[in-house]
Each structure stands twice: as C-alpha cells, then as structure tokens.
C-alpha cells in the first residue's frame, strides 16, 4: 500500500499534513496542522524488526494518537516535539 493510502486509512482529520522522509537509516514521520505538529522517528532497527508496512502503520497509529490528544505548538525555532519508536 502506498504511503498516502496508509495515511487515509489511518483516518487523519482533514487539513492534516502527514509526511515521511528518510534520515540516514531512520524514517521521520511528521504531522502538521497550521502552527501545531509533532514528529516521530522510526529507528532503522524498529523498521527491520517489524517490517516496512507494519512499522509504517505503527508510526501512523502513534501520530494519530498524538493528533487525538492535541498536537503541541511548533517551537519558536521551527522544530517540533519528537517522539521515537525503537525496536525491542
């Protein structure tokens, strides 16, 4: 399943910008809505442990929980609060 299909399946509210990018071997997922947002780092070991599809689904589930709890404001320097998912 393509990433944007997974985002739609995760049920993010309209107006949410959900993206994914590579950072070395880690994957950085980000959800933004205006001046609010959060990033989630999925470590390379977690991705290897769970597999590409399931780890992406897990990351999106955690981001959705952050949305439901209320996204924090983007910091003054433009950075976001960061969550991390690591392999067990």
């Amino acid at each position: 399943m393509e990433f944007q299909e997974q985002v739609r399946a995760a049920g993010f509210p309209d107006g949410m910008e959900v993206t994914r990018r590579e950072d070395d071997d880690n994957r950085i997922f980000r959800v933004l809505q205006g001046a609010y947002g959060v990033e989630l780092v999925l470590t390379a070991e977690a991705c290897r442990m769970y597999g590409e599809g399931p780890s992406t689904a897990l990351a999106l589930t955690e981001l959705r929980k952050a949305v439901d709890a209320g996204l924090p404001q983007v910091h003054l320097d433009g950075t976001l609060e960061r969550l991390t998912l690591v392999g067990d």
Side-chain angles (χ1 to χ4, degrees):
M1 182 182 301
E2 291 203 21
F3 180 68
Q4 288 305 317
E5 291 174 359
Q6 287 181 294
V7 170
R8 282 191 293 281
F12 285 90
D14 291 340
M16 295 277 165
E17 179 185 344
V18 183
T19 59
R20 175 184 65 187
R21 67 180 170 83
E22 304 289 322
D23 182 31
D24 296 321
D25 290 333
N26 300 322
R27 288 167 181 79
I28 310 295
F29 295 81
R30 175 184 274 202
V31 62
L32 284 170
Q33 184 176 36
Y36 298 88
V38 69
E39 285 185 331
L40 183 140
V41 178
L42 179 70
T43 65
E45 68 181 22
C47 194
R48 280 191 300 274
M49 183 175 169
Y50 300 116
E52 181 68 33
S55 63
T56 297
L58 178 60
L60 291 174
T61 297
E62 292 302 311
L63 283 179
R64 181 60 203 262
K65 288 178 186 176
V67 167
D68 291 344
L71 292 173
Q73 228 175 350
V74 174
H75 299 161
L76 293 175
D77 65 0
T79 60
L80 301 176
E81 183 174 316
R82 187 172 265 195
L83 309 170
T84 303
L85 286 177
V86 297
D88 293 333

